[in-house]
Amino acid sequence: MRILEKRVYRGRNIYSHSPVIRLKLDLGEHYDTPTSRIEGFNQSLARILPGLKKHRCSRGYEGGFWERLDEGTYIAHVFEHMAIEIQNILGYDVWFGKARMAEDERTYYVIYEYLNEDVGVEAGLLVYDIICGLLEQKELYIEDRLAKLKQLAVKTDLGPSTSAIVEEAKLRGIPFIRIGKGSILQLGYGKYQKRIEATITENTSCISVDISCDKIVTKELLYDAGIPVPEGGAAHDYPGALAIARQLGYPVAVKPHNGNQGKGVSLNISSDEELKTAYEAAAALSDKVIVEKQVPGKNYRVLVVGDNVAAVAERLPVTVTGDGVNSIRELINIENGNPLRGEGHEKPLTKIKIDQCIEMVLGRQGIGLDYIPQKNEVIVVRENGNLSTGGSAVDKTDKIHPQVSMTAVRAAGIIGLDIAGVDITTTDISKPLHATGGAVIEVNAAPGIRMHHYPSKGKPRNVARSVVDMLFPRGSQYSIPIVSITGSNGKTTTARMLSNILAISGYNVGCTTTGGIYINQKCIQEGDTTGPSSARTVLTDRTVDIAVLETARGGIVRSGLGYDLADVGIITNISGDHLGLDGINTIEDLVNVKSLVVEAVKYDGFAVLNADDVYVAGMADRVRCSIIYFSHRDDNVLILKHINNGRTAVFIREGMIVIAKNGKYYPVIPVGEVPCTMGGKLRHNIENTLAVVCGAYALNVPVGDIVKGLKTFYNDHQNNPGRFNIYSIGNFRIMVDYGHNPAGYRVVTEALTSLGAERLVGVIGVPGDRLDSDMIEVGKICSGVFDKVYIKEDKDLRGRERGEVAQRLYQGLLEGGFPASRIEIEYDETRALWKAMKTAKPGDLISIFYEKLPPVLETIERGSSILQAKPRSKSLLNRTAGK
């Protein structure tokens, strides 16, 4: 068995609306062998992954998968369940998976859900190793591999604060993007986005964070503002610390001046000897050490979000309770086995680390780590209650006095933090600080929130909701409108035309097309940019207030969608293009791919469907939002039924584009007045125009702006480069188009016959990854239209041999009855065009179906200057051939 390919789908995809991993497997000689017939396989699998016995599988009940295993199922199916089970063992709640045959019966796609990409991939690799070991009847133990996976999970998972914020954003319907591998998130899209890292928002200044990290500066600012703080000072060496402590009088607290998470903090220091130990612990973390008067009372964390206190927790010191048998060291190890404790921030509580501070605290009690406490004897092993050092928390939100709340909010504001963890020590949080002698100890940026979500005692507080509500107050915008456009043909023109209308309507449009990414009608990246990474470029741009995304088949199949949900999904048409690639072999397969665009639309959004296309119209059953149909005809049965049901449709009636809604009809514009239809001659652009009107209307664009946008959109290089652009070169013309499949050739050549040319000359080609039958069909289509044909090939042959595509086109031309004497094969695209140009006759219309637009335009420009500037000099023409 071999892994041939790995793909990670980070967004909605053709397999699931959740992220999945797809592995392509060559199953080798075991492709048709049920595991029940492989000696010892099922028995060993039960020992290694006993949790598989609970998997339901297609039978829908616990144990269903194991029944399949006993009866006999195949390795690809087992692989899928094993990948899910390993992630379940690691604590990930995943369940979706499937196995599908790829090119042949030996190769399979195994698809399974993941939550952590790195762990998901490694889980698949572990499954592969397990299965190979079982096939070779090796004795397998996976504990070490699982431990390494657990370490990877701790390292790469979102932290608890970030995870809580993500979950709350999901509940609000706010889309998010994880930036990099850390905890930086983008919540929302485009101009409404907000970025946050753990609990530091983009509104928090660097200066404010720096101040909060410097406990000395923080204390000075709070003191100047009249907020009670402990007396004390900072020392650079032990003698200095000793002098401060003696001046203050014991007990004192000692801590690093710029520490965090309670590391290096020692409380209730009562002697010079203890001070030395505490100083050394703090100095190991910082070049300056703070020594301050110990404030009597309990330690509270007050979480401030915006102008409000979101939660309050009393932080309890780390303790163990004796059983009369185990030593303190052993009791700590036993407590660390508590399933609620984990490494770092992975769980509600953190494991207790034995260090110098613990030994000092025990020493003050006259005991050590080997001391065996009596049964029920409670031993304090660390005096600070930070969760990061093993402490626990009790919710006290309902107990805090209003004056203490006000002080905490003021403290956060003085430091300049919109989210802050204000540490307060007081004997009673329900009384004013001046009445208890309490004080503000610290003001922390990026406060952890797990103690509030998962207190050891008391009511959990959803502070993540407070954070999200602060960033996006209820009723405010969090995402720009998104229009996603797909189909076999017309996607680019539709995207460009709609973008033009939206720009006229005052939007700053981010648009992705096969010709590049455009922000505010300026190209920021050239090339075919119709995949998820291009969509992300638009959605992360802060200047964009609406996104129009051409969403091509290739990107969907290879990577899924680059956004969460669209406001409008448009399907222009469906024809047999790209079949035979990526496991997409039939029209039905292609429909399944393209329909994702209208499946992934918000409930209150719109799916725009072509009522004249049976495959597109059939997608209605997959749609969960409102539908707007469009048609060339006002008597289309689907349109009539839709209108009778009070729904919205766009169609043509007596040459006028009409919108029907709620039984009323609104004329928009005569088809003949839309420039890109060339007076109604370009049927495919009429279809694109109808789709655009639907999309614009769904976005509540005024009809006047729609009309203005349509009237200012031309088939020229400025508005729609490479799409039925016509250039006049002296006494002949050249039409440039990106037609690349039978349907595209059919609509373009149909339009060519109406343009009044004396002779039609075709420079034709097809991408190499199309089916042989499609190439032959293109040849047949061209045979009934052109008077002269030059066959060229793309530079990127896409797996074909040189000449193979040309031969299929040649075959199609001949089968269509085209004379061989009028066919010329010239593989190079620009040389073929140049040959057609230099032999052009008056009245000719040369049509080139290009691979790369810039070289074609350069050839036209240079050829035009040559042919129109001087008599046709043979030497000059030879020097410019192919340019």
PDB file of all heavy atoms in Angstrom, residues 270 376 468 511 631:
ATOM      1  N   SER A 270       8.680  36.112  54.707  1.00  0.00           N
ATOM      2  CA  SER A 270       8.695  36.569  56.098  1.00  0.00           C
ATOM      3  C   SER A 270      10.080  36.662  56.720  1.00  0.00           C
ATOM      4  O   SER A 270      10.206  36.975  57.917  1.00  0.00           O
ATOM      5  CB  SER A 270       7.830  35.635  56.960  1.00  0.00           C
ATOM      6  OG  SER A 270       6.506  35.616  56.486  1.00  0.00           O
ATOM      7  N   ASN A 376      -6.690  13.795  54.956  1.00  0.00           N
ATOM      8  CA  ASN A 376      -7.475  15.035  54.918  1.00  0.00           C
ATOM      9  C   ASN A 376      -6.681  16.277  55.313  1.00  0.00           C
ATOM     10  O   ASN A 376      -7.258  17.365  55.441  1.00  0.00           O
ATOM     11  CB  ASN A 376      -8.724  14.927  55.796  1.00  0.00           C
ATOM     12  CG  ASN A 376      -9.670  13.851  55.298  1.00  0.00           C
ATOM     13  OD1 ASN A 376      -9.806  13.655  54.090  1.00  0.00           O
ATOM     14  ND2 ASN A 376     -10.316  13.150  56.215  1.00  0.00           N
ATOM     15  N   VAL A 468     -16.562  39.179  21.837  1.00  0.00           N
ATOM     16  CA  VAL A 468     -17.094  39.271  20.474  1.00  0.00           C
ATOM     17  C   VAL A 468     -18.110  40.409  20.372  1.00  0.00           C
ATOM     18  O   VAL A 468     -18.126  41.148  19.382  1.00  0.00           O
ATOM     19  CB  VAL A 468     -17.717  37.921  20.044  1.00  0.00           C
ATOM     20  CG1 VAL A 468     -18.410  38.053  18.700  1.00  0.00           C
ATOM     21  CG2 VAL A 468     -16.645  36.834  19.968  1.00  0.00           C
ATOM     22  N   CYS A 511     -12.544  41.812  -6.645  1.00  0.00           N
ATOM     23  CA  CYS A 511     -13.016  40.860  -7.657  1.00  0.00           C
ATOM     24  C   CYS A 511     -11.902  39.897  -8.051  1.00  0.00           C
ATOM     25  O   CYS A 511     -10.762  40.320  -8.294  1.00  0.00           O
ATOM     26  CB  CYS A 511     -13.513  41.621  -8.883  1.00  0.00           C
ATOM     27  SG  CYS A 511     -14.126  40.561 -10.219  1.00  0.00           S
ATOM     28  N   SER A 631     -33.908  33.549 -17.569  1.00  0.00           N
ATOM     29  CA  SER A 631     -34.169  32.824 -18.815  1.00  0.00           C
ATOM     30  C   SER A 631     -34.213  33.791 -19.986  1.00  0.00           C
ATOM     31  O   SER A 631     -34.554  34.976 -19.819  1.00  0.00           O
ATOM     32  CB  SER A 631     -35.511  32.079 -18.709  1.00  0.00           C
ATOM     33  OG  SER A 631     -35.876  31.515 -19.946  1.00  0.00           O
TER      34      SER A 631
END
